Amino acid sequence: MRVEYLIIGQGISGTFLSYYLNKAGSSFLVIDNNAINTPSKIAAGIINPVTGRRMATVWMADEILSFAWEAYREIGNELNIIAISQKNIIDFFPNPFMRENFLKRLEEKNEYVQLCTDQHQFGDYFNYEFGCGEIKPVYTAHLETLLPAWRQKLTERQQLQEENFDIAQLKITGVKIQYKDIEADKIIFCDGPGGINNPYFKQLPYAPNKGEALVVEIPGLPDTNIFKKSMLLTPLQTPEANFFWIGSAYTWDFDNADPTKEFLEKTNQVLKEWLKIPYKMMEHRSGLRPATLERRPFVGLHPVHPAIGILNGMGTKGCSLAPFFAKQLTDHLLFNTPITAIADVQRFRKILTR
Ligand SMILES: Cc1cc2nc3c(=O)[nH]c(=O)nc-3n(C[C@H](O)[C@H](O)[C@H](O)COP(=O)(O)OP(=O)(O)OC[C@H]3O[C@@H](n4cnc5c(N)ncnc54)[C@H](O)[C@@H]3O)c2cc1C
């Protein structure tokens, strides 16, 4: 088989890269092993314009957030699904200090925050003594619907092979690559944390980070918003109504990617104190984020092997970053247009040349 591009991985990065290459009329094949607990399968899908206690505006917010909204709408329309919704965050202040902190952001005229107009609106569902604010616009990408829908489309078009990619069988033949019976102009790795040991890119400064979440059923809780009080509670677009995602931990020091008893107990404690209505635990998810030391992704072609490319290092923000950088990479592959310098993997030319 001969294709222009061989893509490894169909998480959110491989999904959007294959989507844009398809739109451009390029030929490609995606290889994905359909592993469980990949970050794209366990993420909440939140696309938030602010981050941290200081509610600092996220990197390239204006450009990346509006791009993500359009990109998910477009792919959703093509697949006849809703791939993104606006779900503003209702931020319940856990203590007076956090309320003060929020009011300070209001004084600074942070365009993404405001006080909830009706402070009692959620009083039937939650305990909150110190009031609430709203962060907007916040979006939720429905990866739980999007990833299988795109996978099905690729499968129907015979553009997806479900198997484990074995890098030992990859051969670079001049300016092309050969993998088993597949010949391609380029191979692009979108393999998330699976790519950390990739021999072509293992020198990159990855800093994998472990995350955990629970899926809980909460009958009667409105699915209009994401709710926050030390943890985030996000409505899921599952066939069953009333399913919510709650998380997540950020652990830098870990022995394995398995779910922990500590997270389970802590989250149950939070839910018991926060919710006024009953909930039922359905699932405990855990996995690694493909985070990087500089908190910027790795996008582009290898400086020594231009037949090998990468779209990885999405860290905690894959849902917003992946569509934007998948489009940049597609344009770079087709028209040699530049990639944002701070995301371009060529910034590691020196260490990748060693
Ligand atoms: C608990 C948790 C919550 C999160 N919440 C959010 C959030 O709300 N918002 C947000 O923006 N981000 C969130 N993230 C981060 C986000 O999930 C990641 O940034 C993003 O999913 C990375 O996507 P990816 O496609 O690059 O990698 P992946 O999702 O890892 O996809 C890689 C794909 O490649 C496949 N693969 C890997 N190796 C091989 C191989 N050898 N052969 C074949 N296939 C292979 C894998 O099976 C997988 O399908 C969260 C992460 C975690 C862990």
Side-chain angles (χ1 to χ4, degrees), residues 8-14 31-35 38-47 163-165 190-194 211-213 245 248 287-290 311-312 314-320:
I8 308 305
Q10 193 242 327
I12 196 59
S13 300
I31 293 184
D32 183 276
N33 57 12
N34 208 8
T38 63
S40 298
K41 284 183 185 155
I42 68 174
I46 301 168
I47 299 178
E163 65 175 63
N164 211 26
F165 175 80
C190 304
D191 45 357
E212 294 185 57
W245 177 107
S248 62
L288 301 185
R289 300 177 179 91
L311 180 64
N312 205 336
M314 298 293 157
T316 57
K317 303 213 160 34
C319 299
S320 51

Side-chain angles (χ1 to χ4, degrees), residues 23 34 52-53 208 315 350:
K23 255 183 95 169
N34 208 8
R53 281 193 175 196
K350 256 193 188 161

Side-chain angles (χ1 to χ4, degrees), residues 12 15-16 72 75 79 81 83 142-150:
I12 196 59
T15 292
F16 271 103
Y72 283 99
I75 193 171
L79 293 168
I81 58 165
H142 304 300
L143 303 195
E144 62 276 26
T145 310
L146 171 59
L147 297 183
W150 184 244

Side-chain angles (χ1 to χ4, degrees), residues 302-352:
H302 195 287
V304 180
H305 307 290
I308 303 183
I310 186 167
L311 180 64
N312 205 336
M314 298 293 157
T316 57
K317 303 213 160 34
C319 299
S320 51
L321 299 180
F324 185 86
F325 285 106
K327 178 69 168 68
Q328 266 202 2
L329 181 55
T330 303
D331 290 345
H332 182 70
L333 294 170
L334 299 177
F335 313 114
N336 203 22
T337 50
I339 292 166
T340 304
I342 197 170
D344 192 337
V345 73
Q346 294 277 341
R347 70 192 189 276
F348 296 107
R349 171 178 284 274
K350 256 193 188 161
I351 61 166
L352 290 174

Side-chain angles (χ1 to χ4, degrees), residues 195-245:
I196 290 170
N197 299 318
N198 181 324
Y200 294 99
F201 292 111
K202 67 171 190 280
Q203 299 97 320
L204 293 177
Y206 282 105
N209 173 283
K210 180 172 170 179
E212 294 185 57
L214 301 186
V215 176
V216 291
E217 187 182 19
I218 315 178
L221 185 65
D223 65 358
T224 46
N225 291 88
I226 297 165
F227 302 103
K228 181 181 169 209
K229 191 180 174 192
S230 77
M231 287 189 144
L232 285 160
L233 185 62
T234 307
L236 285 173
Q237 199 186 52
T238 46
E240 306 85 2
N242 307 312
F243 272 33
F244 289 77
W245 177 107

